[in-house]
Amino acid sequence: MKVGLALGSGSARGWSHIGVLRALLERGIEPVVVTGSSSGSLVAAAYASDQLDALEAWVRSLTKLDVWRLLDPNFSGGGVMRGNRLMRAVGEQLRDQPIESLRRGFGAVAVDLYSGKEVWIQEGSILSAVRASSGLPGLFTPIFHEDRWLIDGGVLNPVPVSLCRALGADYVIAVNLHRSRVRGESRKPAAEVDNASQGSLSVKDSNELLARWTGLLENFVSSLRTDREPTEPGMIEVMYTTINIMQNQISHTRMMGDPPDLLLTPQLDDFNLMDWHRAAEAIDVGYEAVEQVAAYLPDGT
């Protein structure tokens, strides 16, 4: 039986996919097909190319300051960030390879901005596939790939079960990272979140970054604050929460028509869009999600 793994979109929540893979591998379950949308495509690419260890070591080392430095503001294109710094950093951790050379089946999902059609990327550079799949509308600029402007695959297929089956999986485990929550209801206190960041911004660094980002940064900071509620939600929070709601509904609809054999829903309600520095927590949550359904897992022996 060929086990496939469909890793859903979810920005910083996507680090939980690493924990899911660790738990499966420990139980002798080695997916031979792996697909992903957005951040799910990055973890899928790392696993398919035998570079999961390198990705995990890097994301566990990220501090809050590191995350700020990975952001490259853009005031003229189709997103508030270009994503070039982030992808360069990813490229320093993962060796780029042709998808065709991988020993496991891999595919990333993107969406053609103008035709509105779903695009399955199954050949070419794995890093290009990841970037094409990760153009979250409004946040990252679209990418021109194979003569098309592509945006985040989560717009149409947040959890790509269909692609996983198309690549030959007989048994599909899907990981859905989108769940609705009431604002502030499940979040950790601000002090606890800060302790998990593994780093903090100095006054000098904060002032430098604030000067660069100006009004945009103020909106971004307000969307991350947890100790000033009730306040008017910031621009980034409104955008991401809206997309999360839509993708949650799309995921349910898509999986009703093409259900996975096993669905995992890690409890990540208190994770914000840019909480990339909280990888250790997310990985633990992903690991626990597998442990909770251990009785339903296929035989890995």
Side-chain angles (χ1 to χ4, degrees), residues 163-264:
L163 176 54
C164 210
R165 294 200 189 280
L167 289 174
D170 303 312
Y171 185 100
V172 177
I173 300 171
V175 187
N176 182 17
L177 304 181
H178 296 283
R179 300 177 66 249
S180 300
R181 69 167 172 84
V182 178
R183 185 178 183 229
E185 191 173 71
S186 302
R187 287 182 178 174
K188 296 181 179 180
E192 187 173 349
V193 173
D194 287 341
N195 289 338
S197 69
Q198 304 178 43
S200 59
L201 290 170
S202 68
V203 173
K204 180 180 179 181
D205 287 326
S206 297
N207 289 338
E208 179 184 346
L209 289 167
L210 283 168
R212 289 175 56 198
W213 281 75
T214 60
L216 175 62
L217 183 57
E218 291 176 7
N219 276 322
F220 177 72
V221 171
S222 68
S223 76
L224 296 180
R225 292 293 299 273
T226 61
D227 57 348
R228 295 175 55 189
E229 294 185 352
T231 58
E232 181 179 347
M235 177 185 70
I236 298 295
E237 181 176 2
V238 170
M239 180 180 68
Y240 181 60
T241 303
T242 302
I243 291 173
N244 185 58
I245 293 170
M246 291 189 297
Q247 291 187 337
N248 185 43
Q249 296 302 315
I250 294 169
S251 297
H252 284 298
T253 302
R254 291 291 298 254
M255 286 189 286
M256 285 178 63
D258 189 7
D261 297 281
L262 183 64
L263 175 63
L264 305 180

Side-chain angles (χ1 to χ4, degrees), residues 72-93:
D72 46 358
N74 172 56
F75 301 102
S76 60
V80 298
M81 287 182 283
R82 294 190 181 279
N84 293 337
R85 287 184 191 168
L86 176 60
M87 287 309 301
R88 278 198 299 269
V90 170
E92 291 172 359
Q93 313 305 318

Side-chain angles (χ1 to χ4, degrees), residues 56-113:
E56 181 175 358
W58 177 59
V59 302
R60 283 183 178 274
S61 73
L62 289 175
T63 66
K64 188 179 293 185
L65 181 55
D66 291 329
V67 174
W68 285 100
R69 287 172 171 166
L70 288 175
L71 308 182
D72 46 358
N74 172 56
F75 301 102
S76 60
V80 298
M81 287 182 283
R82 294 190 181 279
N84 293 337
R85 287 184 191 168
L86 176 60
M87 287 309 301
R88 278 198 299 269
V90 170
E92 291 172 359
Q93 313 305 318
L94 304 183
R95 184 178 70 261
D96 199 6
Q97 301 174 38
I99 295 173
E100 300 90 326
S101 70
L102 304 180
R103 69 184 184 93
R104 301 182 180 96
F106 166 77
V109 177
V111 174
D112 188 313
L113 177 63

Side-chain angles (χ1 to χ4, degrees), residues 117-198:
K117 294 181 179 179
E118 186 175 326
V119 178
W120 290 357
I121 305 174
Q122 304 172 71
E123 58 184 23
S125 157
I126 59 170
L127 294 185
S128 293
V130 169
R131 177 60 182 91
S133 179
S134 304
L136 188 66
L139 184 65
F140 290 112
T141 56
I143 189 75
F144 195 66
H145 180 81
E146 299 291 334
D147 298 322
R148 291 178 289 196
W149 286 103
L150 299 182
I151 58 174
D152 201 290
V155 170
L156 288 180
N157 197 353
V159 187
V161 174
S162 53
L163 176 54
C164 210
R165 294 200 189 280
L167 289 174
D170 303 312
Y171 185 100
V172 177
I173 300 171
V175 187
N176 182 17
L177 304 181
H178 296 283
R179 300 177 66 249
S180 300
R181 69 167 172 84
V182 178
R183 185 178 183 229
E185 191 173 71
S186 302
R187 287 182 178 174
K188 296 181 179 180
E192 187 173 349
V193 173
D194 287 341
N195 289 338
S197 69
Q198 304 178 43

Side-chain angles (χ1 to χ4, degrees), residues 267-287:
Q267 305 297 301
L268 296 158
D269 294 352
D270 66 324
F271 273 71
N272 288 306
L273 174 66
M274 306 300 291
D275 281 348
W276 295 335
H277 58 285
R278 297 175 62 191
E281 297 173 70
I283 291 169
D284 288 345
V285 172
Y287 188 97

